[in-house]
Amino acid sequence: MKRGHFFWLPVLLWMAMPTTADTDAETFSFDRVNGVYSNPNPDLEPIHQGPMTVQLRSPANRVELRENRLLLRPNEDGTHNAWLTLELQGEGDLEADLLIGGMTSTMTDKVTLPPQTLLLEGRIRMDRVDGGYRVTAVDLQGEVRLEIRSQLAEGLVTTCSRISILVPLGASCKELERSLSVATVPMPESGTTFLLSDDLLTDSDRQGLDTYLSR
């Protein structure tokens, strides 16, 4: 995905969101959820480019969640359509294994996640339980894409060009740098549960969720 495409993601998803006239929908924002998180070695999808495969790893990272917004709309079957907006930025270590024709080259670099807005859409269940709210994934989008910036792409393209002398790669090397500007993270599978802990919610947050769920 080209970097410019990130501009259109908010537009496309907001077009699918309920309008303000939809009285059943309700918006929540949880200030205590914002903060700094670390997720060593997240599950990153490999990048396939022609005969090449690039496997990315991030053994150490730091992501700051700056803002969050959750829009819920109830369904008759007890599930909820959910639109989650996240504003974040971060940094971390990045490792990449470039595999071409049985040959592997490993490179490391620092990576930054520039300030960006992620929009996640899906269908969930939400139940009040001891200690918080149990959120169950029913039908989520398949993946989320993070814009990343590093010098790793340039090094991998150079390595790719050298190997292309031995292994015909066509235009794959030219496409590789663009592919490395995005990290693809798979979303949880259907049935996965999370706990939105009471510790992350204010009294007002809990009251708002309880009122919404009691309808």
Side-chain angles (χ1 to χ4, degrees):
M1 177 180 288
K2 296 181 179 179
R3 291 182 180 178
H5 289 179
F6 280 91
F7 171 80
W8 294 106
L9 286 177
V11 177
L12 293 175
L13 189 53
W14 283 330
M15 287 175 63
M17 287 184 176
T19 66
T20 54
D22 189 341
T23 56
D24 290 334
E26 192 157 343
T27 301
F28 303 91
S29 182
F30 308 121
D31 291 340
R32 289 184 180 177
V33 173
N34 298 329
V36 176
Y37 296 86
S38 178
N39 182 21
N41 292 315
D43 188 11
L44 300 177
E45 291 286 349
I47 298 172
H48 300 288
Q49 198 65 248
M52 298 182 304
T53 298
V54 180
Q55 180 62 64
L56 299 176
R57 298 183 300 277
S58 180
N61 51 64
R62 177 183 180 275
V63 177
E64 179 186 1
L65 177 59
R66 302 167 61 186
E67 296 289 342
N68 69 86
R69 177 174 175 265
L70 176 63
L71 178 59
L72 294 175
R73 183 174 62 189
N75 296 314
E76 293 183 358
D77 62 358
T79 64
H80 308 268
N81 290 338
W83 294 263
L84 178 62
T85 305
L86 304 174
E87 295 183 15
L88 52 80
Q89 64 184 46
E91 60 186 6
D93 298 330
L94 188 66
E95 299 176 353
D97 294 332
L98 175 62
L99 177 63
I100 306 176
M103 295 178 287
T104 302
S105 177
T106 300
M107 303 184 69
T108 61
D109 192 15
K110 294 291 184 180
V111 63
T112 60
L113 278 69
Q116 56 195 283
T117 300
L118 301 183
L119 296 126
L120 314 178
E121 182 179 9
R123 191 160 55 93
I124 64 170
R125 292 187 182 275
M126 179 178 286
D127 302 288
R128 187 68 166 105
V129 296
D130 290 341
Y133 298 83
R134 183 178 61 235
V135 180
T136 303
V138 176
D139 184 17
L140 304 182
Q141 64 190 67
E143 62 189 27
V144 60
R145 296 187 174 190
L146 298 170
E147 180 183 2
I148 61 176
R149 296 176 185 171
S150 76
Q151 298 300 315
L152 189 64
E154 181 178 347
L156 284 174
V157 170
T158 299
T159 301
C160 175
S161 298
R162 291 172 179 170
I163 295 178
S164 65
I165 298 175
L166 303 175
V167 180
L169 298 175
S172 297
C173 290
K174 296 180 181 179
E175 296 293 329
L176 181 60
E177 184 172 8
R178 185 177 65 182
S179 298
L180 288 169
S181 67
V182 174
T184 302
V185 182
M187 293 290 287
E189 296 180 353
S190 177
T192 303
T193 61
F194 311 87
L195 179 66
L196 179 57
S197 171
D198 283 335
D199 296 339
L200 295 175
L201 303 172
T202 64
D203 291 341
S204 178
D205 293 336
R206 289 190 291 271
Q207 182 178 1
L209 283 172
D210 289 343
T211 300
Y212 169 80
L213 292 175
S214 67
R215 296 178 187 173

